[in-house]
Amino acid sequence: MPSDPASLVKKYFWDGYVWHHSVHENLGEILFYYLARVRPFDQERIASRLGDMLRDKRLGSVRVFPIYGPYDLLIRAWLHPAIEQRFRLWLDEALERMRTLTPFAVTQID
């Protein structure tokens, strides 16, 4: 961990913060959700591979939640429509043993 406090602030300042939905909408982004089934489910490997992909593609408005039931992950992502198809391909590469990916988009936020 860096010993310089200024570099810590730069690196961790936005952790835990999210933009208001109107900011994403003004940028032309849409809120997408994905249900993913991954077999076998190795949470540490999945977290590592998804983290690498998100850093590599510089995607900051993506959150991944493990869930129980027929699906293993709920992925929430604010994406511009121009990259949504590529995002699915990136997920497919990162989740190398993904069996199912069910996407849906939020059409209205109240």
Side-chain angles (χ1 to χ4, degrees), residues 30-34 77 84 88 102-109:
I30 297 172
L31 179 57
F32 291 93
Y33 282 89
Y34 303 86
E84 195 275 330
R88 290 186 203 191
T102 305
F104 55 98
V106 176
T107 57
Q108 181 178 342
I109 298 176

Side-chain angles (χ1 to χ4, degrees), residues 19-30 61 78-81:
W19 289 351
H20 191 271
H21 68 88
S22 62
V23 175
H24 291 284
E25 291 165 348
N26 284 331
L27 293 171
E29 296 176 338
I30 297 172
S61 295
W78 281 98
L79 301 169
H80 193 277

Side-chain angles (χ1 to χ4, degrees), residues 40-77:
F41 184 73
D42 181 348
Q43 188 168 343
E44 288 183 26
R45 181 164 172 75
I46 290 169
S48 174
R49 290 185 58 86
L50 283 175
D52 291 346
M53 183 268 290
L54 294 174
R55 277 188 299 281
D56 181 52
K57 304 301 182 191
R58 300 180 146 210
L59 297 170
S61 295
V62 178
R63 300 294 182 267
V64 181
F65 308 94
I67 57 176
Y68 299 101
Y71 294 96
D72 300 304
L73 301 172
L74 175 66
I75 302 165
R76 185 198 68 170

